[in-house]
Amino acid sequence: MIARTVIAGAHIATVDPAGTEHADGHLVIDGSEIVAVGGGAPPAWALDGRAPDGSPCVERVVLTRVDGRGRLLTPGLINTHHHLYQWLTRGYAQDSILFDWLTTLYPIWARIDADLTQVASLGAMAVLARSGCTLVGDHHYVFPRGCGDIVGGIVAAAGEIGVRVHATRGSMDLGASDGGLPPDFAVESTEAALRASAEAVAAHHDPSREAMVQVALAPCSPFSVTADLLRQSAVLARELGVRLHTHGSETLDEDAYTRERFGLTPTQYLESVGWLGPDVWMAHCVHLDAEAIARFASTGTGVAHCPTSNARLGSGIAPVPQLLDAGVPVGLGVDGAASNESGKLGEEIRAAVLMNRLRAGADRMPGRKALWMATMGGATVLGRDRELGSLEVGKLADVALWQVDTVDHAGLIDPVAALTLAAQPPLALLLVHGRPVVADDTLLTVDEPDVARRVAAASRELAERV
Ligand SMILES: [Zn+2]
């Protein structure tokens, strides 16, 4: 049996290399794969049960028709940076900069465990899916003693919601007594972190093109991790064939920290321990000088741009137009919910447009460039650009269908601007790997009020553990 979905009559932004759009187009999905996309009505073979080449199908075709009129069809959005567990710690340290915010939250985070992380992930992923996200990148780096299988909890939550997940096995091994920022009780030994990283990859990483779950290694940041752990993590990740992720150049405090401690900028320091390359992506990259941008570009190092979080913590505005001009792959991220209480990836598109214009000018961040970052840019940063990120024949069917004819958007002359400049539209449909996850702005896979109740209880429990 072939499950075929035909979407017709939508404005389609394919985000293919030519930026092709169809004002009244169709998309055909067979199972988990896009088999046709174009302008006008769907081809006859799609509706009468034949194969794309017009020949009869050996298997029975079960057809679902979706009315795309009044709707915008885009690739599913890809989140390149998050800390899902922080869904339980929203609203703390509301007016603090990064280092003060971190020192307020570390003692709470140090009580996290696998069960609480799984509930947090359900809440965060529910909101992500409802904002168009089909691939959730996460960065988890807090592993208190006896916390259980946290990466397993994140993977289980993604399975329940029905989204792809790129989890990370992160780490911190530089406690306050050794000159780091986190308290000693929140860090692991270097050896334990490396052992657990290899175990997480063995347990959960799927290298296949169709993968719903991948795992990367992700020491937390230059001020919470030793040079030894950074160096050995890079070697281990390359042995295992997985990617590397960390925070880089987020704040001026971090810049001062590496200059004082190593006599290097954060980028020079990270490069010195093997951390630039096409298999590396870094969150934030707010304070990059021209030399650092050139090094990112020549090494193919990716960036996760998190505009709302950078604003919430007053960290600054990343030089995104300059990064894109230089050819650096840039994706979008919501960052952890403790520094972005919204957690909606769809909203980051508009935030990226507005914030980058404040620094670089209105013509330097077109809305469609921000949509590219949220889709193809993210797929590139996560190493999935061959199979995800655009609506093209042969790609996997991760798609978002946005309702743009309600009172919020009716009359707006450009449907794409509904997503890039206006309030985030509701979702008519979200498909991940061809499977429906959201319809009529409601999750199909979990009971939303039940997730809300579980999140509230888990958040209370974590607060009371301190
Ligand atoms: Zn972060």
Side-chain angles (χ1 to χ4, degrees), residues 178-195:
D178 293 318
L181 194 67
D184 288 350
F185 58 79
V187 304
E188 304 173 277
S189 73
T190 311
E191 298 69 33
L194 288 165
R195 201 177 326 113

Side-chain angles (χ1 to χ4, degrees), residues 199-221:
E199 285 168 6
V201 172
H204 301 293
H205 181 69
D206 175 0
S208 78
R209 165 183 185 276
E210 307 239 313
M212 293 297 290
V213 180
Q214 294 207 337
V215 179
L217 304 194
C220 183
S221 65

Side-chain angles (χ1 to χ4, degrees), residues 88-89 92 104-112 185 462-463 465-466:
L88 302 183
T89 58
Y92 289 82
T104 303
L105 283 157
Y106 279 140
I108 305 168
W109 294 341
R111 270 81 176 173
I112 199 83
F185 58 79
L462 181 60
R465 280 186 187 180
V466 175

Side-chain angles (χ1 to χ4, degrees), residues 81-83 139 141 247 250 283-284 335-336:
H81 186 66
H82 208 319
H83 310 288
H139 183 182
Y141 52 82
H247 295 97
E250 181 172 359
H284 306 306
D335 201 4

